[in-house]
Amino acid sequence: LNNSKPKNKNLIKELLLLNLDDKQKKFKFNKDLIQQINPSSHHSPNRVKIDLNPSSGSRIMNSPSNNNNSSRTKKIKKNNEVNFQESHKLFLPKEKIPKTIKTININLISNEDIESNTFNIFQFDKDVGRENTLLSISTYIYNKFFFSLLINSDKFNNWCQKIAGGYSKTIPYHTSLHAADVAQTSFTYFIYGKINNMCKFNNISICSLFLSCLCHDFKHPGLNNNFMKEIKHELATRYNDISILENMHIAETFKIINENKDCDIFTDIDSYTYKQIRKEMISCVLSTDMFYHSKHIEFMNKIIEKQKTGNFNENINNTNEDNQNYLNLIIHSADISNPTKPFNIYINWGKLVYEELSSIGDKEKEYGIKCSFDREKLTLEKSQISFIDYIVQPFYSNFLTIFPKLQYLNDNVNMCHEPFTNIIP
Ligand code: AMP
Ligand code: ZN
């Protein structure tokens, strides 16, 4: 970067500030490049038995020569700029941009589908196979957002497979499909919602956000924090009853990165950027704990108040604190976005959540703990109406005030609500 001509320097800076509209025009995803290069991706990735005790899993220990941090610290950071060794490649014709990851054959699905706000992830999952869904969607986003500027492509590929493999294949809802859905949903907020006009994330924060979406429920056991606390699970002890599962998701993710050289997605970045991404990812994942739902509402109220009183200046960058609050808000929004999807998609999610929450209720009964979700008393319809009325609608009413271009989310919520109210007398 430092050797490039001043003209190029400015162009790079402009691209890094991520004006998505312009970038999308410049970079059209090359469908021909999507072909299988990794034969193993046809097979299921490592079948990881979901283990409530993460410390009992097998570990690949670092040898002293495999010290990733030392290679990171060798990279020099100047004036808070990332040392993008490959950034000049952005100026090559699009066919020659080399870091586009090739992945499984998804010719059946057009590129526009993944970008679409009516993307049917269940159909996609059927078409490409569960073992490929998260990798395909994340690869698409990786290419579209030029994450190769920050993240090594081969390692990203390996990391994604490891992450996908760490999600349970037996619990109903918190699977790699949900993680891929949260990533794809956040992605559409940028495309349709033009959220970056407000959030003004730089490409490092956007990268943190998408990595967080992918790993935010990593190794989810299909139980909830309260249950873990009540049964005095080892993880509850370890994390002092605070965001037990969320702490585990993000800690386990960094274990994968630190203990598997081929999954160290951060080898190409300097230590300053690494620290920023790590900090942002930890905060994003912890903020998906529903305990913080009201904090997100408070933050939105603060922004709305500023907008109303004319104290909001679009030209001023957000403080670091607000930058993080926006990141947390986006991931949380995508995490509770089921009812904002077209009904045929939403209802599939609704059934899966219902099954998972009910089976927690069954376990609570078994353990003699107060039952939080009783399948004998709560129907799918009733539970979804409560979720929409108490959580989703109040949240999105604020969210859409801040991001009015996402109004279609509200239309979907209202339409989702209707079939249920018609069913219930
Ligand atoms: P997470 O566990 O990270 O996916 O956090 C999101 C939480 O929101 C879930 O654990 C559920 O408690 C709740 N949630 C999301 N979608 C639904 C839904 N369709 N119905 C009921 N609760 C939901
Ligand atoms: Zn989630």
Side-chain angles (χ1 to χ4, degrees):
L1 183 67
N2 293 329
N3 294 333
S4 53
K5 291 176 191 157
K7 194 178 146 210
N8 279 1
K9 245 184 178 176
N10 289 339
L11 272 167
I12 293 169
K13 270 189 191 156
E14 230 177 273
L15 279 161
L16 297 186
L17 287 173
L18 202 94
N19 180 339
L20 267 176
D21 286 337
D22 293 340
K23 280 183 70 174
Q24 278 157 24
K25 278 176 223 150
K26 278 180 196 149
F27 182 83
K28 206 162 176 296
F29 191 66
N30 188 343
K31 201 172 168 184
D32 301 335
L33 284 175
I34 307 174
Q35 49 183 271
Q36 183 178 337
I37 52 154
N38 180 359
S40 67
S41 67
H42 264 326
H43 307 297
S44 300
N46 306 339
R47 290 197 174 267
V48 176
K49 193 169 170 290
I50 296 303
D51 183 355
L52 282 184
N53 175 6
S55 63
S56 67
S58 65
R59 295 278 167 256
I60 302 165
M61 297 309 292
N62 273 354
S63 68
S65 59
N66 178 15
N67 187 338
N68 302 318
N69 285 331
S70 68
S71 73
R72 257 174 221 131
T73 43
K74 270 186 221 149
K75 307 241 163 97
I76 302 159
K77 189 191 78 60
K78 282 186 184 156
N79 304 330
N80 288 358
E81 274 180 346
V82 180
N83 180 14
F84 291 130
Q85 295 159 335
E86 307 268 359
S87 47
H88 63 281
K89 288 174 182 162
L90 284 177
F91 304 103
L92 295 174
K94 79 167 194 284
E95 315 72 62
K96 292 198 176 157
I97 293 176
K99 284 269 182 166
T100 302
I101 301 183
K102 301 171 198 171
T103 183
I104 55 119
N105 188 332
I106 53 167
N107 285 334
L108 280 173
I109 295 106
S110 80
N111 299 326
E112 289 71 32
D113 285 340
I114 295 180
E115 290 191 16
S116 164
N117 58 7
T118 56
F119 175 58
N120 189 336
I121 197 166
F122 290 97
Q123 188 56 51
F124 184 85
D125 190 49
K126 258 192 205 151
D127 292 340
V128 305
R130 177 63 52 92
E131 65 275 22
N132 295 314
T133 302
L134 183 143
L135 179 64
S136 308
I137 291 175
S138 54
T139 297
Y140 186 82
I141 297 171
Y142 176 98
N143 289 327
K144 194 84 190 188
F145 281 93
F146 293 93
F147 288 149
S148 59
L149 290 170
L150 290 162
I151 306 290
N152 177 290
S153 58
D154 293 333
K155 306 224 166 142
F156 181 71
N157 208 314
N158 297 336
W159 180 80
C160 279
Q161 296 198 50
K162 202 69 160 189
I163 292 294
Y167 279 92
S168 172
K169 288 158 194 80
T170 51
I171 61 174
Y173 182 75
H174 287 102
T175 59
S176 60
L177 190 65
H178 166 63
D181 177 56
V182 171
Q184 190 272 340
T185 303
S186 305
F187 177 56
T188 59
Y189 293 167
F190 286 89
I191 307 270
Y192 295 95
K194 308 274 179 267
I195 58 165
N196 221 29
N197 292 342
M198 282 296 285
C199 302
K200 301 187 201 77
F201 297 135
N202 63 20
N203 68 333
I204 298 172
S205 291
I206 295 180
C207 186
S208 310
L209 176 67
F210 281 109
L211 295 173
S212 305
C213 291
L214 296 170
C215 67
H216 83 281
D217 279 328
F218 184 52
K219 292 196 171 187
H220 201 294
L223 301 168
N224 61 23
N225 284 338
N226 190 53
F227 185 81
M228 306 290 276
K229 188 172 103 181
E230 289 292 334
I231 63 165
K232 301 192 178 71
H233 191 274
E234 195 210 316
L235 287 175
T237 313
R238 182 178 307 166
Y239 295 119
N240 301 312
D241 297 342
I242 298 164
S243 300
I244 303 162
L245 288 175
E246 293 74 17
N247 267 303
M248 182 271 282
H249 302 317
I250 192 65
E252 287 294 303
T253 297
F254 274 91
K255 263 191 188 170
I256 293 286
I257 294 167
N258 293 336
E259 295 178 3
N260 298 276
K261 210 178 169 194
D262 60 345
C263 295
D264 184 358
I265 47 179
F266 300 127
T267 39
D268 288 354
I269 58 174
D270 61 277
S271 64
Y272 178 89
T273 310
Y274 167 75
K275 280 178 189 153
Q276 184 187 334
I277 295 183
R278 176 166 158 78
K279 191 167 168 232
E280 289 177 346
M281 284 177 71
I282 292 172
S283 180
C284 275
V285 174
L286 294 183
S287 81
T288 61
D289 183 349
M290 283 301 278
F291 177 80
Y292 296 112
H293 179 73
S294 55
K295 288 261 177 269
H296 298 295
I297 304 263
E298 270 171 38
F299 172 63
M300 290 193 288
N301 282 336
K302 190 188 96 179
I303 300 294
I304 293 167
E305 193 55 33
K306 268 190 180 177
Q307 283 176 327
K308 266 192 206 153
T309 52
N311 283 337
F312 189 86
N313 187 341
E314 288 211 341
N315 300 318
I316 296 178
N317 275 344
N318 292 315
T319 60
N320 283 347
E321 192 188 347
D322 278 355
N323 188 67
Q324 187 67 58
N325 284 333
Y326 273 118
L327 289 172
N328 297 352
L329 180 67
I330 302 305
I331 191 171
H332 177 60
S333 173
D335 207 19
I336 58 164
S337 66
N338 298 167
T340 68
K341 303 292 168 70
F343 192 77
N344 62 324
I345 298 165
Y346 161 48
I347 192 66
N348 287 329
W349 288 123
K351 286 177 189 165
L352 295 172
V353 180
Y354 180 79
E355 194 39 51
E356 195 167 306
L357 294 176
S358 303
S359 76
I360 296 173
D362 298 342
K363 283 211 179 64
E364 286 168 336
K365 283 184 195 168
E366 221 177 285
Y367 277 76
I369 299 165
K370 188 169 169 264
C371 181
S372 58
F373 197 101
D374 191 341
R375 65 168 92 232
E376 319 254 296
K377 295 183 186 147
L378 264 175
T379 59
L380 167 67
E381 294 79 11
K382 276 190 184 161
S383 66
Q384 286 308 299
I385 287 188
S386 303
F387 180 60
I388 292 173
D389 286 351
Y390 295 107
I391 305 283
V392 176
Q393 265 175 347
F395 178 90
Y396 283 98
S397 132
N398 275 3
F399 194 70
L400 301 181
T401 307
I402 299 174
F403 307 114
K405 290 204 162 70
L406 286 170
Q407 188 52 42
Y408 65 89
L409 300 180
N410 206 28
D411 301 342
N412 284 342
V413 173
N414 294 333
M415 267 150 54
C416 280
H417 199 287
E418 215 174 275
F420 288 133
T421 24
N422 289 342
I423 293 165
I424 294 175

